[in-house]
Structures are given as C-alpha cells and as structure tokens.
Amino acid sequence: MFKNVMVYRIGEGFAPSLADVQAALEPVQFVECGASQEKSIGWVPPRGEAHGPLVESVAGQWILKLMIESKAVPGNVVRRKADERIAEIEAATGRKPGKKEKRDLMDDVLLSLLPQAFARQSSVIVWMDLENRRLVLNAGSQGKADEVMSALMNVLAGLSVSLIQTVTSPQAAMTQWLLAPTEDEWPADLTVERETVLKSTGEDAASVRFTRHHLANDDVRKHVMEGKLPTQLALSWDGRVAFVLTETLQLKKVQYLDGVMDESGTDKNEDRFDADVALSTGLLGPLIDSLIEALGGEMELGAAAADPALPNPIPKPVNSSAVSGTAAETADDEDPPF
C-alpha cells in the first residue's frame, strides 16, 4: 500500500469528523479528462468500489486516495505542426507571424492534438493519523506531494501541515552510521543494509553508489571522509520493513520482509483492504517513531537543526562512483535509483 513515505505534522486545532471529510471531498470527485483537457485531479474511493466512501476509517486510521490523470503531446510534434501552419500563413499572405501569433498557433495545435493523446493515470494514497497529528503520503517526489497537499488544503478547512524536521538531519545521521566503527553504534531497531549513494559537496557533484556491498568497512568510510555524504541509505527496521532513507527524510522502496504479510491473517480470496491498511499503518507508525527517535527527536518549529560535526576534517572531494560492490573513479550528475 505504501511504496514511498513522506511524513507531515498536522497543525493544532484540526479535528474534523469522518463525515466532515467525506462531505468536503464529494464536490471534487475525480472525473476523467475531457477531449481537450490536459489534466484532471480528484478524489476516488480508496477501497476501489464504485460509489464507495471517499474516506475509509480502519482501526482509527483514515485513508484517502487522490487520482491524477494527464495527457501529454510530444513537444516536437506540436512544434512541427505549428511550423507547418506558419509556413502556410507566410505562403498565403507573404508575411511572417509575430511572436504572439506564433504562441497562439502553438496553443491551437496543442488543443487540436489533445483528443488524440493517451491519458495516463496515477494515484496517491493519503493516510491521516489524527491521534498522532501525522499525515503520510505514498508519494515518490516532492512535486507529487505538493500536488496532493494543495488538493487537501483546497477542501479541508483549517488543515495546516509542515514537513517533519528532526534535531539531527538525516544526512548527518546517515554519515554517523556509515562512519561507525562497529554495528553496535547503529541505532536500536535500525540496521544499515547493503546499498547507499554518496555524493560530494563540491561543484563537480561526484557521486558513488554501492549496491549489494557490505557498508561497514574502511572503503566506504574513506569515501565519506573524502567528502562524499550519503543522500540515500538502505535500512531495515526491526527485521520487518526494508526501505531507503533519503537526505530529505523520505522513505523510498518500502517493502515488508518475509513473513510480515502473513501477519494479517486474511484469506487471499477475501477483501484485503482493511487488513492491508491495518498492517501497513501498524508497522509504519512505529517505524516512523523509531526513525525520528534515531534522528534526535522532532525539532520544534523555528529551531535550527543540530548537525553533529564529523570526527575529522573533510578534504577536497575526489571524483568517484561505484557499481555492484566495486568502486570506479567517475563523476555522475544524478543519483541513480537503486
């Protein structure tokens, strides 16, 4: 249910009833894009049943689902068609269209091609934990998360949220864990796994990726001490959930480890929605608590994060990267996904 996790703190004073949320979502239910419409956003029943509730409550946890549909026409196709029309105007009138006329032609071409474009749909699960004043999104990017938050703010009066900030930044904590001399220095319930992305702070932005590589060794520590800091680190929690922690406190590639899904006790032929919600929220809630504790606790609004200094000064970064457990000296402009 949650492959990615972004965590927000719900502001004080927001305490709607389930009926209030249902009523607020009903006017903005999802409708597919019209023939000449580029994008459509709206709420759908999270259980997947037609005409079902737009907010489900399972063991006190509220689940919503935002559907996003968009159409895309390749830019080169629009430009080619527009150039054809411009050439026709020049041939018929002997004049060249101005900038505004060219922009209008581009818009006209786009509108004419949209009915032929394929629509793509994506959805985002929203988990509201009002007891702990926490809102969790199954969003893989900040852009998608911002879209969901905007949709929520537009319909839920009084809702205010902020991204959770910790006393120790995720990057500083991940750096400490990679520099730890033994695994005993890792936080309780969290285990450093075998993948990480390290990136230099210099202008060259050199990066190194280790995959299927034991990270508690001098080779990894050397890269860190040379100035490459972790932007992603694979972790597991309590032997039950594996995930990749990012420098912005996002959890990516969340997956439950062997045997965990059997804990739901639901027959495969039964509707698993309630069981999946209960299991996911029952695991991710304590995981988030443990992670925040490992990062020094939640920071008060307006306070500055306390990033502990590294044990030794960091020399000028060195260009390098690593693949499949081996390191090679090369620069990379982007962090490759695991």
Side-chain angles (χ1 to χ4, degrees):
M1 179 165 283
F2 286 87
K3 299 297 183 184
N4 301 284
V5 169
M6 296 185 68
V7 188
Y8 292 79
R9 174 64 63 205
I10 298 176
E12 298 284 355
F14 180 71
S17 68
L18 195 69
D20 292 336
V21 176
Q22 173 69 26
L25 299 182
E26 284 178 353
V28 283
Q29 296 185 57
F30 173 74
V31 178
E32 292 183 355
C33 287
S36 59
Q37 186 178 358
E38 286 188 78
K39 196 169 195 177
S40 178
I41 299 176
W43 301 95
V44 297
R47 193 180 291 271
E49 297 176 350
H51 311 297
L54 297 176
V55 53
E56 294 277 357
S57 178
V58 179
Q61 307 302 316
W62 295 0
I63 302 295
L64 301 76
K65 187 176 183 179
L66 185 72
M67 182 69 72
I68 303 168
E69 182 177 84
S70 59
K71 291 181 177 181
V73 179
N76 61 332
V77 175
V78 175
R79 286 191 295 271
R80 187 174 71 247
K81 293 291 185 181
D83 288 342
E84 291 174 2
R85 293 195 185 183
I86 291 171
E88 292 172 359
I89 293 173
E90 291 180 356
T93 65
R95 66 175 181 83
K96 292 184 177 182
K99 290 183 178 179
K100 182 180 184 303
E101 188 175 358
K102 287 181 179 179
R103 287 196 300 269
D104 292 341
L105 281 171
M106 294 279 283
D107 292 340
D108 291 342
V109 169
L110 177 60
L111 287 175
S112 69
L113 292 175
L114 278 173
Q116 307 171 44
F118 288 105
R120 295 184 58 187
Q121 289 186 351
S122 62
S123 61
V124 179
I125 295 291
V126 179
W127 163 26
M128 298 182 70
D129 181 358
L130 293 184
E131 181 179 353
N132 293 301
R133 293 192 305 108
R134 199 152 56 197
L135 189 146
V136 178
L137 304 182
N138 180 27
S141 69
Q142 189 61 56
K144 183 65 68 67
D146 291 344
E147 205 162 28
V148 177
M149 296 312 304
S150 177
L152 280 173
M153 297 288 189
N154 286 338
V155 296
L156 298 181
L159 174 64
S160 64
V161 298
S162 58
L163 279 168
I164 285 182
Q165 302 290 324
T166 53
V167 172
T168 301
S169 73
Q171 186 168 72
M174 291 188 292
T175 300
Q176 288 182 328
W177 301 339
L178 289 176
L179 289 175
T182 68
E183 298 178 6
D184 294 336
E185 302 296 321
W186 295 342
D189 297 329
L190 290 176
T191 300
V192 174
E193 297 298 340
R194 297 166 63 86
E195 298 181 3
T196 190
V197 173
L198 308 175
K199 195 168 185 177
S200 72
T201 56
E203 294 181 357
D204 58 3
S207 66
V208 51
R209 180 175 71 154
F210 289 94
T211 304
R212 298 185 298 278
H213 193 101
H214 183 62
L215 301 181
N217 62 53
D218 292 338
D219 188 24
V220 174
R221 296 188 193 100
K222 180 176 180 292
H223 279 291
V224 175
M225 296 309 299
E226 287 175 344
K228 300 180 195 67
L229 302 180
T231 59
Q232 299 182 31
L233 179 63
L235 300 167
S236 62
W237 172 78
D238 197 30
R240 308 171 82 190
V241 184
F243 62 96
V244 174
L245 177 64
T246 75
E247 61 184 326
T248 57
L249 198 53
Q250 295 182 31
L251 277 59
K252 295 181 176 292
K253 298 181 65 176
V254 176
Q255 55 182 307
Y256 304 127
L257 301 179
D258 291 344
V260 171
M261 292 305 296
D262 296 336
E263 298 176 17
S264 65
T266 303
D267 187 273
K268 292 182 179 179
N269 296 321
E270 296 180 9
D271 180 4
R272 292 190 57 93
F273 180 82
D274 287 353
D276 287 349
V277 170
L279 183 64
S280 296
T281 58
L283 287 173
L284 292 178
L287 184 160
I288 293 168
D289 289 338
S290 292
L291 183 58
I292 291 174
E293 182 180 354
L295 297 175
E298 192 169 349
M299 186 171 59
E300 295 293 332
L301 290 176
D307 287 359
L310 298 178
N312 295 304
I314 301 176
K316 184 178 179 180
V318 178
N319 295 342
S320 66
S321 68
V323 292
S324 300
T326 60
E329 299 303 314
T330 181
D332 191 1
D333 292 333
E334 295 183 356
D335 291 338
F338 288 137

